[in-house]
Amino acid sequence: MNFALIGCGQYGRNYIKAIQENGDNLIVVCNKSSLRPDFLSDEVIYTTNFDQVLGYESVEAVIIATPPESHYSLVNQALTAGKPVICEKPFVFSTAEAQELFTLAQENGLKLLVNYTRLFSSYSEQLFKLLSENINRKISIHLENGNWGPVRDYSPLWDYGSHELALALCFVNVNVAKIVQSKEDNGATKNYQIQIIDKNITINCSFGNGFVSKRRGVIVYIDGAPHFLAEDAKANPLRNLISFFKEVPTDHLFYNLWVPTTYVLEQLSNS
């Protein structure tokens, strides 16, 4: 598949690596700076003009890896131009904007995928398999994700938490689930505890940017018995995301998570 990349910071470089490893093509990079990065190969077009990117017929999909406050406008323009989109997290900061973009993608028959990394990690596959084998049993899932920093312009609720909540919402009905939040606020750093309860499943999410060291893990308790899910160190979630985007149709569960995830994040941030 032929991609355009919008935003060429550190995470943009991660996308470039994943595109290359997947055997796909990076056609054009669009960035704010007029200075072309030296790590781009000569055949990649470089521009500061987003409209120019959307005009390339060879571009089959657009990856948005810019600061989140720009996501709504850029995703809207790309979808309106008929381009499928992969958007970096957090998607947008309001449910209304998430719903508008989701509807626009649906109406135009276009894929809109958000990079909530947990969905495309080795954890996810193991978790879905384990739960499918234990339907109607009492299940408790513990998700942990955090580090010391980074400190961004927005809360770690939208940063680390968006990954955990997107995965959690695969297994609960957001309209009936009970969601309880507690927060340890130390100014620049914040750690969160979110509990989601729905019928026979309880999901506990622990995340934030105030942990002493990096934390990432999944433990599933089935009728009280623990199952520790290990992450495959060799797996690349971005490669998995790109493969998913190319191969999986829009009726898959993941394509329907962007609005409810934004809704829960918005509700929690306002509480």
Side-chain angles (χ1 to χ4, degrees):
M1 179 173 275
N2 294 334
F3 287 97
L5 174 64
I6 316 304
C8 204
Q10 178 56 51
Y11 222 80
R13 295 182 70 168
N14 292 340
Y15 276 106
I16 292 173
K17 180 180 178 181
I19 290 168
Q20 293 171 339
E21 290 179 351
N22 247 29
D24 294 298
N25 302 309
L26 180 62
I27 301 299
V28 56
V29 168
C30 180
N31 204 30
K32 290 192 301 182
S33 173
S34 59
L35 187 63
R36 181 188 177 96
D38 57 11
F39 54 81
L40 288 181
S41 58
D42 293 341
E43 65 268 19
V44 176
I45 302 166
Y46 185 77
T47 181
T48 60
N49 187 330
F50 184 54
D51 289 334
Q52 179 183 344
V53 173
L54 299 180
Y56 287 115
E57 292 186 6
S58 59
V59 170
E60 298 175 285
V62 176
I63 298 173
I64 308 293
T66 58
E69 59 270 17
S70 65
H71 288 177
Y72 170 78
S73 175
L74 294 174
V75 173
N76 192 321
Q77 292 177 70
L79 292 173
T80 301
K83 304 293 188 183
V85 173
I86 295 173
C87 184
E88 187 49 41
K89 62 80 190 169
F91 180 33
V92 289
F93 290 117
S94 83
T95 308
E97 289 182 345
Q99 183 63 65
E100 182 181 343
L101 295 175
F102 176 73
T103 301
L104 180 60
Q106 283 192 314
E107 289 177 345
N108 288 280
L110 298 170
K111 290 183 176 181
L112 171 58
L113 193 64
V114 180
N115 180 25
Y116 292 130
T117 307
R118 281 286 206 187
L119 300 176
F120 307 100
S121 69
S122 55
Y123 288 132
S124 174
E125 184 178 352
Q126 296 174 67
L127 185 57
F128 275 92
K129 183 176 185 296
L130 188 60
L131 267 59
S132 68
E133 294 170 347
N134 293 277
I135 297 173
N136 298 324
R137 299 177 70 178
K138 187 176 181 181
I139 294 170
S140 177
I141 304 172
H142 294 247
L143 305 174
E144 188 174 58
N145 188 15
N147 209 335
W148 182 255
V151 176
R152 305 191 192 276
D153 294 335
Y154 50 91
S155 166
L157 178 65
W158 293 88
D159 192 8
Y160 288 109
S162 60
H163 296 295
E164 310 310 300
L165 291 170
L167 181 57
L169 293 180
C170 292
F171 308 109
V172 300
N173 182 343
V174 68
N175 295 313
V176 299
K178 179 183 178 181
I179 303 178
V180 180
Q181 171 185 220
S182 63
K183 178 172 64 174
E184 177 187 322
D185 191 338
N186 295 310
T189 62
K190 298 175 178 65
N191 294 333
Y192 291 81
Q193 302 286 334
I194 309 290
Q195 185 177 70
I196 306 172
I197 304 171
D198 183 9
K199 297 180 181 178
N200 68 323
I201 187 168
T202 300
I203 303 176
N204 295 288
C205 304
S206 175
F207 55 85
N209 64 348
F211 292 114
V212 175
S213 59
K214 184 176 181 178
R215 297 188 186 182
R216 185 172 296 169
V218 179
I219 306 173
V220 181
Y221 293 87
I222 299 175
D223 292 337
H227 299 257
F228 297 87
L229 306 189
E231 186 172 23
D232 183 354
K234 296 181 180 179
N236 183 339
L238 276 185
R239 285 190 61 183
N240 294 341
L241 175 145
I242 290 172
S243 295
F244 180 96
F245 182 76
K246 290 162 51 180
E247 298 165 6
V248 179
T250 56
D251 58 357
H252 190 280
L253 166 66
F254 287 179
Y255 285 108
N256 295 287
L257 289 173
W258 322 140
V259 176
T261 301
T262 305
Y263 170 77
V264 172
L265 288 166
E266 187 176 27
Q267 296 300 307
L268 290 171
S269 64
N270 291 332
S271 65

